[in-house]
């Protein structure tokens, strides 16, 4: 009976390998390695850098524009902005007068004065 079980297991393995959409067992490992390779510095900016650039605009940026630009939902944008605040960025909020949507901007004056203070203490 044991030989019969082993034979059926071998037959099943052979049948799965013969499927047209079946990938070889080593394919997922190769994909993971390819995806985990670090991008070059010359490549596109990470989304946090893109967010800081958007918030650095003089009049700020609406949350809907950030969501559209970065492909994030509104709650993800708010969470990322909260993370920027925790890292020391002075993010100011206001309401867009016409539609009442939140507008976010990085207070450039506060950022510059902090940089000057750090530069003087060094």
């Amino acid at each position: 009976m044991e030989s019969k079980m082993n034979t059926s297991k071998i037959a099943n393995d052979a049948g799965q390998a013969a499927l047209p959409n079946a990938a070889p067992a080593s394919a997922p490992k190769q994909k993971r390695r390819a995806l985990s390779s670090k991008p070059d510095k010359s490549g596109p900016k990470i989304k946090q850098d893109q967010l800081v650039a958007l918030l650095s605009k003089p009049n700020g940026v609406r949350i809907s524009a950030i969501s559209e630009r970065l492909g994030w939902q509104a709650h993800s944008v708010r969470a990322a902005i909260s993370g920027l605040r925790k890292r020391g960025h002075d993010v100011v909020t206001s309401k867009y007068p016409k539609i009442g949507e939140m507008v976010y901007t990085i207070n450039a004056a506060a950022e510059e004065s902090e940089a000057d203070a750090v530069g003087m203490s060094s």
Side-chain angles (χ1 to χ4, degrees):
M1 282 194 165
E2 286 182 33
S3 63
K4 192 173 194 179
M5 286 183 177
N6 290 339
T7 307
S8 63
K9 181 171 177 15
I10 292 170
N12 285 339
D13 290 343
Q16 287 178 351
L19 293 175
N21 294 332
S26 62
K29 290 180 184 178
Q30 290 173 350
K31 281 186 180 180
R32 272 188 244 135
R33 285 187 203 131
L35 292 176
S36 67
S37 64
K38 295 183 180 181
D40 295 336
K41 294 287 183 180
S42 62
K45 295 181 182 178
I46 61 173
K47 289 191 177 185
Q48 287 287 332
D49 292 340
Q50 291 176 358
L51 178 61
V52 170
L54 286 170
L55 295 176
S56 297
K57 292 183 178 182
N59 295 328
V61 64
R62 293 177 299 155
I63 194 166
S64 62
I66 299 170
S67 295
E68 184 179 314
R69 177 74 183 258
L70 299 178
W72 290 347
Q73 294 183 3
H75 68 274
S76 299
V77 172
R78 289 188 295 269
I81 290 172
S82 177
L84 289 177
R85 286 184 177 130
K86 289 179 183 179
R87 287 186 205 100
H89 292 279
D90 185 22
V91 180
V92 180
T93 60
S94 59
K95 284 204 173 195
Y96 192 72
K98 293 182 181 178
I99 57 175
E101 188 176 6
M102 294 301 292
V103 176
Y104 296 93
T105 186
I106 290 181
N107 189 355
E111 295 285 321
E112 289 174 6
S113 65
E114 286 179 22
D116 290 342
V118 171
M120 289 181 180
S121 66
S122 298

